[in-house]
Amino acid sequence: MPQIFSGIQPSGELHIGNYLGAVKNWVALQHKYAKSIFCIVDLHAITVQYDPDQLRVRRRDMAMSLLAAGIDPNVASLFVQSTVPEHTELTWLFNTVAPLGELERQTQFKEKAQRQESVSVGLLTYPVLQAADILIYRADLVPVGEDQVQHLELSRVIARRWNAHFGRGEDFFPEPQPMLTPARRIMGLDGQAKMSKSMGNTIGLMETTEQVWGKLRPAVTDPKRVKKTDPGTPEVCNIYHLHKAFSPAATVEHVARQCSTAGWGCIDCKKVLHENMELELTPIRRRAEELKAKPKAVDEALASGTASCTTLARETMREVRARMGID
Ligand code: ATP
Ligand code: MG
């Protein structure tokens, strides 16, 4: 029976890149698979500079946003990573089989290290903790955005190496595979880099209609469309990719035609996108407002996730310790 696991850092507000690349898929998959586990990975978020008080607030906000986006604690487990400390124990054990050279080659490490004054070992071993998160539940399917595909390759290497040393002839840990959505890489509004919580180039899921429009209006489009009369190339435009995620198929076709024939200007195109985004985001914002008034519901969801994941994680760790001779 395939098992789903995925995580998100409480490093800022949930944005439409996270939503389209991962979270929307989580919401759909939770009803298709018997067991899915979604984790707010606070121990990953502390691998770059952060503020402890802000982290507490962000962790809670992330839980609320995920529930508002449609994670159902009755069918899926939602919990905060640090509340199941077995993840860190397995990380240490995996550190003893993880290949240093491949960690140093990870794109995310190189990019995030560049932005830090001082680079911690934690940033380097980030993918080892990620492998532990997934494999402690022996999960084999991981719905993520494209930027996480390389980390998952490393999770498979770690699983293979551990199995070779300690598996007693069997594949104790499965080799987890990524599950991507069509919107696997949403670009930031500046058109320069992937939309990321830590880059300030996002549209937050909980932003108001006016805030969303305030960001969409100046967002970068096809750079070759300087004047309204210049025909555009939809495939190179982030706004077109957002249409593909938020607008009905007929609208997407219409948008492509209007862009490539210079029938519409970019503002016309953005207005239609904004309307379609509102249709999807309004109910999520409404649920978030309801949850704000019911903080106990959020606490209960997280506590029940921690309880069920603790049981599973402890089972795996018993077996892992025995096979590694540290029981
Ligand atoms: P940070 O800047 O702190 O790394 P982030 O926005 O990259 O934050 P993560 O918590 O690292 O978010 O990733 C959560 C999930 O969202 C992952 O599955 C990741 O692949 C996905 N994701 C992140 N950014 C995008 C994006 N721009 N497009 C599609 N998926 C994305
Ligand atoms: Mg990230």
Side-chain angles (χ1 to χ4, degrees), residues 6-23 26 41 45 48 62 108 112 115 126 143-149 180-181 183-188 193-199 202:
S6 198
I8 186 161
Q9 300 184 77
S11 49
E13 60 174 355
L14 182 64
H15 57 75
I16 58 168
N18 301 140
Y19 175 68
L20 298 174
V23 175
W26 301 0
V41 293
V48 294
M62 184 56 78
Q108 179 177 292
K112 289 199 170 173
R115 288 192 254 142
Y126 182 113
V144 283
E146 193 177 61
D147 60 324
Q148 294 305 314
V149 168
L180 298 171
T181 66
R184 57 193 61 185
R185 185 182 169 85
I186 299 296
M187 293 299 282
K194 157 190 112 66
M195 188 177 282
S196 293
K197 286 185 240 99
S198 54
M199 292 284 282
T202 60

Side-chain angles (χ1 to χ4, degrees), residues 5 22 49 62 66 81 94 103 142 183 293:
F5 177 94
Q49 268 194 13
M62 184 56 78
L66 292 173
Q81 187 184 33
F94 280 172
L103 283 169
V142 188

